[in-house]
Amino acid sequence: MASERTFPKAIGSLEEVFNHLDAFYAAEAIETGPAMSLSLVVEELFTNLVKYNTASRNPILVRLGRENGRVRIELVDHDVDRFDPATLPEVDVNAPMSERTPGGLGLHLVRAIVDHISFEYEDRVMRIVVVKNVERADV
Amino acid sequence: MFDIKRADDGTVKLIGRFDAAQVEARRAEFEALSGSCVLDLAELDYVSSAGLGLLFATLKRLTESGATLKLINLKPHIRELFQIAGFDRIFAIE
């Protein structure tokens, strides 16, 4: 099953985003563990678009699909300036408390969870694609 | 849904889904915590980087004031997130 929907570009949209995801998990019989991980990935990516792609307030498209044992999630943000999340500073997870800052943690978690992530930017459209195997028992 | 409840013994319970929207809505309650605190995460189902960031800011503030913050009863997937974030080496976790 493929499913897609747009959401206003605002942190306040998260509850509706989660509802959309929960309906997808139920339809695809995705277990709680992988579902939690996927929700975390979508929240981190969605909130990054809200925080950093401020050139437009166009809604964000969230597209969900499953092929065999893998879930593919795509977030599309229209009419925005180029923003490459790869340019965000890497988190030093070994740093002591005095040197830790909150920035970049979300993308660090996403990279640890998904099996594939790609960022594309063309004609002022940003597209983020993540793929996760949901039939393996991990985060 | 996310909720914060204080138990009779002073322990603060975090319940439900602690996402970025809830961080914005409940930040003041974390900023009001003072003295040494124990956070019980037994009923915390979900936390994102926004929630982790607020917990970290709370830990840092309390530590700088000479107090402590301890986390107890983390579910396995929440504990794993703390490990991925490197927070298992920063927070006191039981």
Side-chain angles (χ1 to χ4, degrees):
Chain A
M1 183 189 96
S3 167
E4 68 176 56
R5 199 183 137 185
T6 59
F7 300 90
K9 187 184 280 188
I11 297 297
S13 297
L14 278 177
E15 187 170 348
E16 281 301 306
V17 172
F18 287 131
N19 289 341
H20 180 59
L21 290 168
D22 288 344
F24 175 76
Y25 303 147
E28 294 292 338
I30 293 173
E31 294 180 7
T32 304
M36 290 272 187
S37 297
L38 290 169
S39 292
L40 179 69
V41 166
V42 173
E43 177 185 334
E44 301 297 350
L45 297 174
F46 190 91
T47 54
N48 264 354
L49 296 178
V50 173
K51 284 192 285 187
Y52 297 111
N53 282 1
T54 55
S56 85
R57 303 315 298 171
N58 290 325
I60 296 169
L61 172 70
V62 178
R63 182 176 289 137
L64 311 168
R66 180 173 185 172
E67 289 179 18
N68 301 318
R70 301 190 313 165
V71 168
R72 181 182 189 277
I73 299 175
E74 186 175 355
L75 284 83
V76 183
D77 198 5
H78 290 272
D79 192 24
V80 293
D81 296 332
R82 178 183 291 277
F83 162 62
D84 184 355
T87 61
L88 288 173
E90 286 282 327
V91 174
D92 180 1
V93 297
N94 296 310
M97 178 164 56
S98 59
E99 296 172 16
R100 288 291 299 261
T101 56
L105 182 56
L107 201 56
H108 173 77
L109 297 178
V110 169
R111 287 188 167 122
I113 290 169
V114 302
D115 299 303
H116 165 84
I117 183 167
S118 65
F119 302 93
E120 296 171 18
Y121 182 80
E122 188 174 8
D123 298 331
R124 294 189 57 75
V125 176
M126 181 169 182
R127 191 180 308 274
I128 307 173
V129 176
V130 292
V131 176
K132 179 170 176 59
N133 185 325
V134 293
E135 293 184 349
R136 219 173 39 215
D138 59 6
V139 169
Chain B
M1 188 210 88
F2 176 68
D3 203 3
I4 304 170
K5 288 184 178 169
R6 190 174 284 271
D8 293 340
D9 63 359
T11 299
V12 177
K13 293 177 175 248
L14 306 187
I15 301 162
R17 177 141 59 187
F18 195 18
D19 59 41
Q22 296 301 326
V23 165
E24 286 192 353
R26 312 299 289 265
R27 181 181 299 279
E29 291 170 73
F30 285 87
E31 291 174 347
L33 292 174
S34 62
S36 293
C37 294
V38 176
L39 296 184
D40 186 345
L41 309 190
E43 296 176 70
L44 185 70
D45 299 318
Y46 173 97
V47 61
S48 65
S49 69
L52 290 172
L54 183 52
L55 291 177
F56 175 70
T58 304
L59 169 68
K60 208 166 180 176
R61 181 176 58 78
L62 293 178
T63 302
E64 286 168 358
S65 72
T68 61
L69 179 68
K70 186 165 69 176
L71 309 180
I72 62 172
N73 299 327
L74 283 69
K75 291 183 177 179
H77 67 283
I78 300 289
R79 187 178 291 270
E80 195 166 355
L81 275 183
F82 273 78
Q83 290 167 345
I84 294 170
F87 281 1
D88 57 321
R89 292 188 290 274
I90 291 176
F91 283 86
I93 299 175
E94 278 185 13

